[in-house]
Amino acid sequence: MRRFLVAFVLAIVAGTALWAQAPRIGVFIPGVREGSPIYDTMAKGAERLAAEISGASIKIFEAGFNQAEWEEKLTSFVASGKFDIVITSNPSMPELVNNVSKSFPKQKFICLDGYLPGNPNMYSALYNQLEQGYVTGYLAGLVSISGMKGTNPDKKIGMIIGQNYPVMDKMIIPGFMQGLKAADPAFQLDIRVLGNWYDAAKAADLSRSLYAAGADIILPICGSASQGAVKVAQETGKYLVFFDDNEFARAPDNILGCAVLHQEDLAYRSLKAAIEGKLPFGKADVVGMKEGYIEFLNTNPAYIKNVPEPIRKKVDAAIQSIKSGQLTFQVPSL
């Protein structure tokens, strides 16, 4: 008993929960890791933390693209009883976690890229993708009207999305549109829906159609299918902008800008806080540029090479306006 009390006191002094001495971390990916930056970086954050803690274990599970199966697969994942904490990421996951947690009242969850307060066993954090969309759209609009090689006079930008969902419809698209309109109110956004997150051949066909219809820049948000858009941009000498990760290396002459989510850092810090007993379960946060979890990569050599300095200065000014609070975006109810 005395030995147990000593261990208990040492754990408190260290500022950690008892199980944090060798935490068991489950990573539930609602999709696949390869070709999905948002999931890959979440897994990297969890792996980074696990590597720092002696005896920590981590299991990464890929649930695949069939969303109808996610809740059942999450239930099976949690029912194994092998995890002290489960981390996942997707705007639809907080609701699924809320359902599953009713059957597992001791299981702790972290849901990134989603928002649902009130569950005492779940912490969620939503990216303010209005900011991400605005800066990316502003860049796309400024380049499109600049007259630089590969652009045309048509005030039209393209977008290929895997599917419609609340964050896409209420944050990403409106933010991107607002950025385009800030460059020129006459801009139109031509949106094509892929219907999945993996069909690169179909994404290539949609890209050809968008470029032929007058769009000189496309934002693909369609998972691994974006490889089709990259291929067509390279073939046609047209341009792309990207979300979520640093994609410049895929086509350094065609990718104009990347607005990334620092999901690896958010996953790492959220898990670390949970292990230390400091994560506010039951709370939902909104994070963005000011907190350092959304970043436009304005110092990347490819960006500096491809985008004229006057445009870069305008984009930098917009970023500073967001960080200072001069330009704000109210996250809607999802």
Side-chain angles (χ1 to χ4, degrees):
M1 174 64 77
R2 183 174 181 275
R3 192 172 296 174
F4 174 81
L5 288 173
V6 170
F8 181 78
V9 170
L10 288 174
I12 293 176
V13 170
T16 63
L18 282 173
W19 56 263
Q21 295 177 34
R24 303 170 301 164
I25 301 169
V27 181
F28 184 88
I29 294 176
V32 298
R33 182 173 182 176
E34 185 176 0
S36 301
I38 198 75
Y39 299 143
D40 181 52
T41 50
M42 172 183 66
K44 285 179 179 176
E47 289 168 337
R48 174 155 59 106
L49 181 68
E52 293 178 359
I53 302 175
S54 177
S57 64
I58 183 169
K59 179 177 177 60
I60 297 172
F61 176 76
E62 296 175 294
F65 294 110
N66 188 345
Q67 296 186 25
E69 298 177 350
W70 289 352
E71 185 169 340
E72 181 181 349
K73 289 183 175 180
L74 179 62
T75 301
S76 298
F77 190 63
V78 172
S80 69
K82 295 179 178 179
F83 311 112
D84 298 302
I85 191 160
V86 172
I87 187 169
T88 187
S89 174
N90 187 284
S92 66
M93 287 308 297
E95 192 63 47
L96 298 185
V97 165
N98 207 37
N99 295 338
V100 171
S101 68
K102 294 172 184 175
S103 301
F104 304 95
K106 294 183 179 181
Q107 180 64 65
K108 297 295 186 182
F109 296 90
I110 296 173
C111 289
L112 306 182
D113 197 23
Y115 188 90
L116 186 64
N119 185 324
N121 290 318
M122 175 173 61
Y123 169 79
S124 60
L126 179 69
Y127 297 101
N128 190 340
Q129 293 191 276
L130 286 163
E131 297 178 354
Q132 187 183 22
Y134 179 88
V135 174
T136 310
Y138 189 47
L139 167 68
L142 291 173
V143 169
S144 185
I145 61 176
S146 69
M148 62 184 273
K149 182 181 178 181
T151 63
N152 62 58
D154 297 343
K155 293 184 176 65
K156 181 184 288 187
I157 301 295
M159 194 170 178
I160 299 173
I161 64 174
Q163 65 186 82
N164 292 97
Y165 54 94
V167 170
M168 177 65 72
D169 296 338
K170 295 184 179 183
M171 294 179 68
I172 295 175
I173 292 174
F176 192 73
M177 274 296 302
Q178 193 172 341
L180 287 177
K181 297 289 187 181
D184 190 314
F187 265 110
Q188 295 180 324
L189 181 60
D190 191 345
I191 302 171
R192 308 292 173 92
V193 182
L194 187 64
N196 60 63
W197 300 88
Y198 54 83
D199 192 341
K202 185 176 179 181
D205 289 340
L206 292 177
S207 297
R208 290 189 187 94
S209 175
L210 282 167
Y211 288 136
D216 43 30
I217 301 170
I218 294 174
L219 168 60
I221 305 180
C222 51
S224 58
S226 65
Q227 185 55 41
V230 171
K231 181 181 178 182
V232 173
Q234 291 173 314
E235 291 173 353
T236 59
K238 298 293 185 180
Y239 298 114
L240 301 164
V241 288
F242 266 91
F243 264 28
D244 296 350
D245 201 10
N246 183 346
E247 303 282 8
F248 283 110
R250 295 173 65 181
D253 294 329
N254 305 90
I255 296 176
L256 296 172
C258 298
V260 306
L261 302 180
H262 287 301
Q263 175 103 314
E264 179 178 341
D265 290 338
L266 185 57
Y268 173 87
R269 291 170 186 167
S270 297
L271 283 167
K272 189 173 189 293
I275 289 168
E276 294 174 348
K278 299 175 182 177
L279 192 68
F281 287 100
K283 185 180 179 184
D285 286 324
V286 177
V287 297
M289 287 189 166
K290 187 176 181 180
E291 294 78 18
Y293 291 114
I294 296 177
E295 180 186 9
F296 183 80
L297 301 181
N298 57 350
T299 61
N300 187 279
Y303 172 70
I304 294 171
K305 172 178 172 287
N306 290 333
V307 178
E309 184 179 8
I311 294 177
R312 299 200 311 269
K313 287 184 175 179
K314 289 182 178 181
V315 173
D316 287 346
I319 293 169
Q320 290 306 312
S321 292
I322 293 171
K323 288 183 176 180
S324 69
Q326 182 181 351
L327 181 59
T328 60
F329 300 88
Q330 184 64 43
V331 174
S333 176
L334 301 176

